[in-house]
Amino acid sequence: MGHSHSHDHSICIETAIAEAERLCAERGSRFTDLRRRILKMIWQGHKAVKAYDLLDQLATEGGSAKPPTVYRALDFLMEEGLVHKIESLNAYIGCPHPGDNHVSQFLICDKCETVKELSSDELTTAVMNAAKQANFAIRRQTLELHGVCANCQRNREAA
Amino acid sequence: MGHSHSHDHSICIETAIAEAERLCAERGSRFTDLRRRILKMIWQGHKAVKAYDLLDQLATEGGSAKPPTVYRALDFLMEEGLVHKIESLNAYIGCPHPGDNHVSQFLICDKCETVKELSSDELTTAVMNAAKQANFAIRRQTLELHGVCANCQRNREAA
DNA sequence: CTGGTAACGTTATGCAATAGCGTATAAACT
DNA sequence: AGTTTATACGCTATTGCATAACGTTACCAG
Ligand SMILES: [Zn+2]
Ligand SMILES: [Zn+2]
Ligand SMILES: [Zn+2]
Ligand SMILES: [Zn+2]
């Protein structure tokens, strides 16, 4: 089950929840129990999570959630900048630095499925320049790089 | 119905079909009637086209196509590099320069829905540098910039 | 004309997302 | 406290996107 890049992941989860708590309080948004549970599920690892997997997990936990329940929670979490959608996977990933106003750029390993969020200034600048050159006013961007992460390159045999 | 950036679009279509013809012949791939018809439909404009719209059009043209028929044709066209999928729209767009080995970067106008394929060297370089810095081996990229195109910015009142 | 392969048709199903409506509940005001 | 209002949540149903699995046809090589 190992994370190759081993770390105490419970800290990731706790930090994410605490940050969410803080931001929502600050903004007067309601971080309800359902929303907290779903954010926690998304943070179970560093892989993107699918909506129907969340549904299944909710079902396991006793309740009887239906699709709109999950999608509404995801919409809320996205509006608050707590999670991002990975368009090329139809899946959702927790944002490691919510609050910062930032664009999302992702490295997605096709072997171990780990998703890493980038913040490359050079990349951001290049995007803005490309848009400027075409007189194009950017409102949002989808930037998803698929390939093989450093770990999976080392451990060739894995997966 | 106007293209704002008016041009003789029949030339776009003819060029695309001719190029497809040429490339497939060169490669020994079979550019069948169905595939040609679907490529033509996708090239009806510079907007991305949805799979089920293609289905509907095929139905109109008499036949009784089912989803797999369309998706297989799309898969073929994508493998040959003749069309690209826009992940953030679940839709498909013709490639204006198939044959060139290239990555795909798109400007997508949320007003008029026009999709423009970019080839920014600076952007390509920035992507590669970002990946290199993380020791990440890129295999494919999804780079879709949404916003408002130059035309739609001029014609504020439109749409 | 026979056997192989690729394309296409057909049926069915699975996963992704939303529509529309009703109910519960929490904040905000009187 | 009682009323109002907005928000969250539950539920049923439907739509949209995509593929599985299998059968049939077209075509080419031997
Ligand atoms: Zn972690
Ligand atoms: Zn990996
Ligand atoms: Zn054109
Ligand atoms: Zn436009």
Side-chain angles (χ1 to χ4, degrees):
Chain A
M1 251 298 80
H3 247 232
S4 23
H5 181 76
S6 226
H7 67 281
D8 184 353
H9 185 62
S10 61
I11 293 177
C12 300
I13 301 178
E14 280 163 35
T15 308
I17 300 294
E19 269 291 279
E21 211 91 56
R22 194 179 62 74
L23 281 169
C24 289
E26 199 176 298
R27 296 168 181 166
S29 308
R30 289 164 58 184
F31 193 52
T32 65
D33 179 60
L34 178 69
R35 291 164 176 177
R36 186 189 332 268
R37 278 194 294 155
I38 288 186
L39 182 58
K40 216 165 190 170
M41 286 177 198
I42 292 175
W43 270 101
Q44 279 315 106
H46 293 278
K47 303 181 183 185
V49 178
K50 314 213 102 194
Y52 275 61
D53 290 342
L54 295 170
L55 258 177
D56 291 345
Q57 274 191 256
L58 285 176
T60 306
E61 291 182 10
S64 76
K66 306 294 182 217
T69 304
V70 168
Y71 282 104
R72 277 189 295 240
L74 287 172
D75 286 344
F76 172 87
L77 295 173
M78 283 193 289
E79 266 164 38
E80 299 294 332
L82 299 169
V83 310
H84 300 296
K85 178 176 182 185
I86 307 292
E87 297 282 356
S88 56
L89 296 175
N90 290 321
Y92 303 82
I93 186 85
C95 176
H97 47 87
D100 312 12
N101 200 9
H102 66 284
V103 295
S104 338
Q105 308 165 341
F106 301 98
L107 297 179
I108 303 160
C109 180
D110 293 332
K111 296 257 186 213
C112 67
E113 297 172 70
T114 295
V115 176
K116 183 165 188 299
E117 186 166 346
L118 285 185
S119 305
S120 159
D121 287 342
E122 184 198 357
L123 191 41
T124 303
T125 303
V127 166
M128 292 196 302
N129 285 344
K132 192 181 235 176
Q133 213 162 20
N135 286 313
F136 188 91
I138 296 191
R139 290 210 283 223
R140 74 183 167 94
Q141 58 174 271
T142 301
L143 207 164
E144 302 169 4
L145 308 180
H146 284 259
V148 184
C149 75
N151 273 304
C152 289
Q153 285 174 67
R154 272 192 289 278
N155 320 341
R156 282 275 192 158
E157 66 291 332
Chain B
M1 235 340 29
H3 247 231
S4 24
H5 180 76
S6 227
H7 68 282
D8 184 353
H9 185 61
S10 60
I11 294 177
C12 300
I13 302 177
E14 280 163 35
T15 307
I17 301 294
E19 269 291 279
E21 211 91 55
R22 193 179 63 73
L23 280 170
C24 289
E26 199 174 299
R27 297 168 181 166
S29 308
R30 290 165 60 183
F31 193 52
T32 65
D33 180 60
L34 178 69
R35 290 163 177 178
R36 186 190 330 268
R37 278 196 293 158
I38 288 186
L39 182 58
K40 216 165 191 171
M41 286 178 198
I42 292 175
W43 270 102
Q44 279 316 108
H46 293 277
K47 304 181 182 183
V49 178
K50 316 212 99 194
Y52 276 64
D53 290 343
L54 295 171
L55 258 177
D56 291 344
Q57 275 191 256
L58 285 177
T60 306
E61 291 182 9
S64 75
K66 307 291 185 230
T69 303
V70 167
Y71 282 105
R72 278 189 294 240
L74 287 171
D75 286 344
F76 172 86
L77 294 172
M78 284 192 289
E79 267 165 37
E80 298 295 331
L82 299 169
V83 311
H84 301 294
K85 179 175 183 185
I86 307 293
E87 297 283 356
S88 56
L89 297 176
N90 290 323
Y92 302 83
I93 186 85
C95 176
H97 47 84
D100 314 13
N101 200 10
H102 66 284
V103 295
S104 339
Q105 307 166 343
F106 301 98
L107 296 179
I108 303 161
C109 179
D110 293 331
K111 296 257 187 213
C112 67
E113 297 172 70
T114 295
V115 176
K116 183 164 189 301
E117 186 166 346
L118 285 183
S119 306
S120 160
D121 287 340
E122 185 198 356
L123 190 41
T124 303
T125 303
V127 166
M128 291 194 304
N129 285 344
K132 192 181 235 173
Q133 213 161 21
N135 285 315
F136 187 90
I138 296 192
R139 290 210 283 222
R140 74 184 166 94
Q141 58 174 272
T142 300
L143 207 164
E144 300 169 6
L145 308 180
H146 284 258
V148 184
C149 74
N151 274 304
C152 288
Q153 285 175 68
R154 272 192 290 277
N155 320 341
R156 282 273 193 160
E157 66 290 334

